[in-house]
Amino acid sequence: MARAVTTQRKVTNTVIAWGVGLLIFFPILWTILTSFKTEAQAISDPPLFLFFDWTLENYAIVQERSDYMRFLWNSVIIAGGSTVLGLVVAVPAAWSMAFVPSRRTKDVLLWMLSTKMLPAVGVLYPIYLIFIRLGLLDTRGGLVIVIMLINLPIIVWMLYTYFREIPGEILEAARMDGAGLREEILYVLTPMAVPGIASTLLLNFILAWNEAFWTLNLTAATSAPLTAFIASYSSPEGLFYAKLSAASTMAIAPILVLGWFSQKQLVRGLTFGAVK
């Protein structure tokens, strides 16, 4: 029987939730507002919140100085390619861990998770040398592979969790009907785990889109994504906050729109299997 929740409790929880949400969103809001200020207003003391001279000059300068569409296209290819490639590798791996019993499954999962605890700079030098030797430096293909490998533990963990919620009897029934391994994964397992797979895709696309360390160190100009586009506005002459905010707003706008329209699917996937 569900517990009764008082109106006062609902109001309190709502106020707290909105407060936390606004606190988290405030840096993004401040960046967007700063992008419409002049450089003098961006560094004014006390700070100007809404009452300032709104201008689109920063966006015009950013557009003139940089080829925004090239950076955007590189980000789409790198984030999308690494996410799809990671899914291709992770689905069979998660299936094996979820439906082929082994005493080492948890050990393998913990080992995979432990690789996320390694500082990225600790493996930068060997990966940099490998990229030079293989001719992958400043290429989108090289970044797709590296970012896929970085996020692969998260993809496998999430898919493993979702697959574990699917009854094994369904897969056994499919095998009795003559389904092979390929048909079992493509036509039985994958459709049943669509909410979980979708949320995994969305989350890892966002992580790949925001990846800065590897994109800044393994690219120069040809395959540089939006993270390099933002970093280019930090110059030896100093930080131009208004122009930097405009570049940041242009970089985060696509992923904000994607997150807004896919938030229901993301929440549904992240809670998939929570209640039986």
Side-chain angles (χ1 to χ4, degrees):
M1 183 176 178
R3 292 184 302 171
V5 181
T6 63
T7 303
Q8 182 180 0
R9 181 71 176 273
K10 291 181 180 179
V11 172
T12 303
N13 291 342
T14 301
V15 171
I16 293 175
W18 272 98
V20 173
L22 290 174
L23 183 63
I24 295 173
F25 182 71
F26 182 77
I28 300 175
L29 176 62
W30 186 256
T31 299
I32 295 173
L33 291 175
T34 304
S35 69
F36 293 101
K37 301 176 182 178
T38 63
E39 290 295 344
Q41 292 172 337
I43 59 175
S44 64
D45 187 19
L48 301 175
F49 188 65
L50 291 175
F51 303 102
F52 56 85
D53 298 326
W54 293 69
T55 177
L56 294 174
E57 179 185 2
N58 299 312
Y59 289 94
I61 294 175
V62 169
Q63 281 286 79
E64 292 175 1
R65 174 177 168 179
S66 306
D67 186 0
Y68 171 75
M69 294 306 299
R70 178 174 63 84
F71 290 103
L72 175 63
W73 181 240
N74 286 338
S75 286
V76 170
I77 292 177
I78 292 169
S82 63
T83 301
V84 172
L85 182 59
L87 188 67
V88 171
V89 176
V91 167
W95 172 88
S96 176
M97 294 180 183
F99 299 107
V100 180
S102 174
R103 292 180 298 175
R104 295 294 182 181
T105 296
K106 291 185 178 180
D107 295 334
V108 172
L109 287 170
L110 288 174
W111 172 78
M112 292 180 64
L113 187 62
S114 69
T115 62
K116 296 293 295 179
M117 303 176 188
L118 175 69
V121 70
V123 292
L124 172 62
Y125 188 63
I127 290 180
Y128 189 84
L129 293 179
I130 291 173
F131 267 50
I132 293 177
R133 180 66 61 89
L134 298 179
L136 295 176
L137 196 63
D138 198 21
T139 63
R140 290 180 295 202
L143 282 175
V144 165
I145 295 173
V146 167
I147 296 177
M148 182 275 290
L149 293 174
I150 291 172
N151 293 331
L152 188 60
I154 297 177
I155 303 177
V156 173
W157 260 90
M158 292 183 67
L159 291 180
Y160 169 79
T161 302
Y162 300 136
F163 289 172
R164 287 288 294 173
E165 299 298 329
I166 297 175
E169 291 78 8
I170 296 178
L171 299 181
E172 292 178 3
R175 294 167 193 161
M176 293 179 64
D177 289 337
L181 177 59
R182 178 175 174 274
E183 291 77 15
E184 180 181 328
I185 293 177
L186 289 179
Y187 302 118
V188 181
L189 181 66
T190 302
M192 295 185 65
V194 164
I197 293 175
S199 65
T200 302
L201 284 173
L202 290 170
L203 180 60
N204 282 275
F205 186 87
I206 294 171
L207 292 175
W209 185 278
N210 293 328
E211 176 59 43
F213 179 82
W214 294 107
T215 55
L216 292 177
N217 284 285
L218 298 179
T219 60
T222 305
S223 60
L226 286 171
T227 47
F229 168 73
I230 297 173
S232 66
Y233 285 86
S234 175
S235 65
E237 291 79 13
L239 286 174
F240 297 93
Y241 291 104
K243 297 178 182 62
L244 180 61
S245 297
S248 299
T249 301
M250 294 172 69
I252 65 176
I255 206 68
L256 280 178
V257 173
L258 175 65
W260 177 265
F261 284 105
S262 60
Q263 57 181 322
K264 290 184 179 179
Q265 181 62 49
L266 184 59
V267 172
R268 180 188 175 196
L270 291 175
T271 56
F272 177 69
V275 179
K276 291 187 178 181

